[in-house]
Amino acid sequence: MSPLFPLAVRPLPPWLGHVLRTQRGPVRGGAVLRGALAMVPLLVAVLADRPTAGVPAALGAMFAGINDRPGGEH
């Protein structure tokens, strides 16, 4: 075993492989717009010098955009 990589390489769990898999096909414009709008609460909070106040709102917006991704191949 190489000293640079002391840990054995293990396959990814199926749930993590699904999350990291890239989507094929064109990206819808609505998804791009939702992704851009997800950063607005955090940007506003940072400009108001209260970045921690915008984190929950930005996370909620980000999760709403991620939730739009189809899944469930099990």
Side-chain angles (χ1 to χ4, degrees):
M1 187 176 313
S2 171
L4 294 176
F5 301 105
L7 300 176
V9 176
R10 290 182 238 155
L12 291 175
W15 65 268
L16 185 57
H18 176 72
V19 170
L20 296 176
R21 190 175 315 126
T22 58
Q23 289 182 329
R24 299 187 203 304
V27 178
R28 296 188 328 243
V32 173
L33 181 61
R34 276 194 306 276
L37 291 176
M39 71 177 189
V40 170
L42 186 58
L43 178 62
V44 169
V46 167
L47 292 175
D49 202 27
R50 306 263 333 251
T52 56
V55 170
L59 281 173
M62 181 190 71
F63 290 147
I66 290 173
N67 195 31
D68 183 46
R69 179 176 176 183
E73 300 167 5
H74 320 327

